[in-house]
Amino acid sequence: VLAGAGTYCTAFLTSGPRFQSLGDILALALAEGLVLAVAITVCLPLSTAACNPAITLALWVTRKLELGQALLLGGVQLLGAFL
């Protein structure tokens, strides 16, 4: 959320409310996608690319994570959200 909102806020502050052309919207979408790809790549060795608690919960429900690992990852993700 932070990367996506930051991308849109930066675009709005630098070009004003007129960034509604197709090229601007495409550039914003590509920037947000690139940030997400980098975040997943960085998180992959540490936490199975679960960058938020919803993904951790989904991995636990589908039995790809054990309960202890899911609780640890979810707790650390929530702690990181508040810091």
Side-chain angles (χ1 to χ4, degrees):
V1 172
L2 179 62
T7 304
Y8 292 111
C9 289
T10 301
F12 183 78
L13 291 174
T14 58
S15 65
R18 64 182 186 281
F19 71 97
Q20 298 299 321
S21 71
L22 183 60
D24 291 339
I25 294 172
L26 180 62
L28 289 171
L30 288 174
E32 187 170 352
L34 181 64
V35 167
L36 183 59
V38 169
I40 289 173
T41 302
V42 168
C43 292
L44 188 59
L46 302 174
S47 64
T48 64
C51 296
N52 66 40
I55 295 173
T56 302
L57 179 63
L59 289 171
W60 176 71
V61 167
T62 58
R63 299 179 190 240
K64 298 189 187 221
L65 285 178
E66 295 178 8
L67 178 61
Q69 189 179 14
L71 289 173
L72 179 65
L73 285 173
V76 169
Q77 290 162 350
L78 290 173
L79 179 66
F82 289 107
L83 296 177

